[in-house]
Amino acid sequence: MNALFFLLRKEAKNSLLDLLRHPVKLVAYILLFGMLGFSIFQRAVMHWGVPPVTADIRLLHGVYFGALLLLGVPILLSGMKSGAAFFKMNDVNLLFPAPVSPRKILLYGLLRQLASILLLTIFLLLYGVMAMDMFGVTWGEILILVLGLVVGLFQFEVLAMLAYQLANRNPRWVQRMRGALYVVLAAAAMGVLYGFSLGKGGPDSVLSAISVSVLEALPVFGWVKGLVFGLISGNILNVFIYGILVATTIFGALLIFLKGNVDYYESVIDRAEAGYEQHETESVGHAARRHGRARVSAMGIGAGWGASVFFFKHLREGKRRSRLVFAGMSTLLLLGVNLVLIFLLSYASSAGPLRPDYLMGVSLTLSCYILFFYSTTGDWVRELANPYIYLAPEAPFRKLLWAGAAGVAKACVEGVLLFTVMGIFTGCSPLTAVACMLVYAAMGVFFLAGNVLSVRLFGKVGRQGLLLLILMLLLLVVLLPGLGLSAFVLFSSGSALVSALPLAGWALLAAAVIIFCCRNLLANAEWNG
């Protein structure tokens, strides 16, 4: 066990040394901690002696439960397919052959994963300051909320690991576990409708729907919420019941995993070797061995020459995923979230119907926020995992442009479909809908350029954790001049279409500059971390 603690200490030390050797990362982390410190200082100084204007605490209940669903559902679905392996190639080489108990090695992997989850508390504390202003909660309650999310994330990771083990034992378990998850989500929807019926109409019905206590009885997600808000409200009974349920879930999943007669470690070794082999062969110009099977419904690229082949390759892959190529389940999910949000805003307004332009602005803001996360999993990002884009005898700049063309086309088509429906639903003017389409398409190009910059600076796309937050803040800083100019034009002219042009133009200009500066990104596979 001392050897494992030695590894943990060395990994922490090497991470700090690596940070010192990369000034860009160091500056980004300093800015992140500076923003957190400034937020805390502003909250302590600016609001000293000023009575806070608090929102209804039921809104915090709904937001917290929604955050648990948003974090947990993708982790569990991913665990059913690829598991939640906590080990890398160096672990395979050093730990697995070592005379150390497999249970202690698993404990080491869990502790390291928990440490990475704890780093997310910095990101969550930034939202904690905002929650203090909105709901009047204390620092102690903010800490409970953040630690509750950490416990929830750890629980989701452990369950994902168990789900992968059960799926290896019997493929039918995948359908059973997915069905059980969908039943829980359906029960959550029924609970929201039940809470809605208990309200007194207007905003009260909406707040009652998202904070109804029935949701706390839902397995996994509701139990964490019940434990957290039981601690905040001082409800000892809820703390006792939901604490036992959460602890039983975590330790029970670990016990089943340890007792299961499944060669999980062999799967870990296979995935680690696949990633290592792929990176090594790419760096010397050879193709990596493919692992796993791909679902094929159509064959042949059918068009393209040179670098343009990658664009038509992405078209073929998009057609395999959806008949509409550039619109699929993600588009439907985005449209559904927007419709639900606009309906709730319209229904919850106590001052009468909201202006259609305001509703479209809210829809555009939410859509661009979700698009930022979608952009980290685009076709060109997946292309970086294959050696072909590095081996193609074309200029790196042309390859980069053609590799991102499908993502740009998807953002354009998705924007037209989304804001056509939202324009009809809200009853806004056609010019407002066109303005939203322009901004959404421009943001798609801008976020693609941001991911290119992330690969160039950090060696990988910022998909999660602090790197995702750093990338978000960096892109926000770059976008600020366009946002300010658009706000000035909006207040001056009152035209949504005219005010959208500066933001869209600035986003496109910034994207062009970023991509041009990173034009040689695909000249070397080593830059893909």
Side-chain angles (χ1 to χ4, degrees), residues 46-81:
M46 299 295 291
H47 298 272
W48 182 263
V50 179
V53 180
T54 58
D56 197 311
I57 194 65
R58 291 180 294 178
L59 180 60
L60 181 60
H61 282 253
V63 170
Y64 197 82
F65 185 73
L68 288 171
L69 290 176
L70 187 63
L71 293 171
V73 172
I75 292 176
L76 294 176
L77 289 176
S78 176
M80 298 173 194
K81 296 179 180 179

Side-chain angles (χ1 to χ4, degrees), residues 446 449 478-479 504-516:
F446 180 69
V478 175
L479 203 60
W506 179 264
L508 292 175
L509 177 62
V513 172
I514 291 173
I515 292 177
F516 180 77

Side-chain angles (χ1 to χ4, degrees), residues 384-397:
L384 294 180
N386 298 315
Y388 315 113
I389 196 167
Y390 302 100
L391 301 176
E394 278 279 2
F397 191 29

Side-chain angles (χ1 to χ4, degrees), residues 116-422:
S116 65
I117 293 175
L118 286 173
L119 291 176
L120 291 175
T121 57
I122 301 173
F123 172 73
L124 298 173
L125 284 174
L126 290 173
Y127 287 96
V129 177
M130 182 176 63
M132 293 177 69
D133 290 332
M134 289 185 61
F135 303 104
V137 294
T138 64
W139 272 113
E141 292 168 342
I142 289 296
L143 186 61
I144 292 174
L145 291 169
V146 170
L147 291 179
L149 285 177
V150 171
V151 171
L153 282 170
F154 184 69
Q155 176 184 235
F156 301 144
E157 293 281 357
V158 172
L159 289 175
M161 184 174 61
L162 177 63
Y164 184 72
Q165 184 197 55
L166 295 176
N168 271 348
R169 177 183 298 175
N170 187 347
R172 294 182 180 179
W173 271 100
V174 176
Q175 299 297 330
R176 297 172 185 172
M177 290 182 293
R178 187 178 291 121
L181 180 60
Y182 290 155
V183 167
V184 173
L185 295 178
M190 294 178 62
V192 169
L193 293 176
Y194 171 72
F196 192 84
S197 66
L198 297 179
K200 301 176 182 178
D204 185 74
S205 294
V206 176
L207 294 173
S208 175
I210 61 178
S211 63
V212 63
S213 59
V214 174
L215 296 177
E216 297 178 356
L218 293 176
V220 183
F221 307 100
W223 295 344
V224 176
K225 175 183 176 294
L227 172 62
V228 168
F229 283 92
L231 288 170
I232 292 177
S233 62
N235 191 326
I236 303 301
L237 181 61
N238 280 3
V239 172
F240 179 75
I241 294 175
Y242 294 121
I244 290 179
L245 290 174
V246 171
T248 302
T249 301
I250 294 175
F251 290 107
L254 288 174
L255 181 62
I256 295 173
F257 172 78
L258 291 173
K259 296 296 183 181
N261 187 22
V262 175
D263 204 355
Y264 176 84
Y265 293 121
E266 286 296 330
S267 301
V268 171
I269 293 173
D270 182 64
R271 289 200 303 278
E273 287 180 344
Y276 180 78
E277 174 191 333
Q278 188 168 14
H279 178 69
E280 288 297 307
T281 51
E282 284 173 11
S283 64
V284 297
H286 297 289
R289 178 172 60 92
R290 292 184 60 88
H291 292 256
R293 294 178 297 176
R295 176 180 173 270
V296 177
S297 58
M299 298 179 64
I301 297 176
W305 182 263
S308 64
V309 169
F310 293 103
F311 172 71
F312 292 100
K313 173 177 178 285
H314 295 159
L315 290 185
R316 171 62 68 192
E317 292 170 348
K319 191 173 182 180
R320 290 175 180 174
R321 293 191 296 266
S322 170
R323 293 182 181 275
L324 299 179
V325 184
F326 294 122
M329 289 302 299
S330 62
T331 309
L332 293 176
L333 178 62
L334 184 61
L335 179 61
V337 170
N338 275 277
L339 291 173
V340 170
L341 176 66
I342 298 305
F343 171 76
L344 291 177
L345 286 176
S346 302
Y347 196 90
S349 176
S350 58
L354 298 175
R355 291 175 52 191
D357 289 352
Y358 172 79
L359 295 176
M360 288 293 286
V362 173
S363 176
L364 175 62
T365 303
L366 175 65
S367 300
C368 290
Y369 183 74
I370 296 176
L371 177 64
F372 170 76
F373 296 97
Y374 278 165
S375 67
T376 62
T377 59
D379 289 321
W380 90 273
V381 176
R382 288 190 292 270
E383 200 67 54
L384 294 180
N386 298 315
Y388 315 113
I389 196 167
Y390 302 100
L391 301 176
E394 278 279 2
F397 191 29
R398 285 176 54 83
K399 291 190 288 186
L400 183 61
L401 292 177
W402 279 110
V408 173
K410 177 177 173 59
C412 295
V413 173
E414 202 170 56
V416 171
L417 294 176
L418 174 64
F419 292 106
T420 298
V421 175
M422 295 307 300

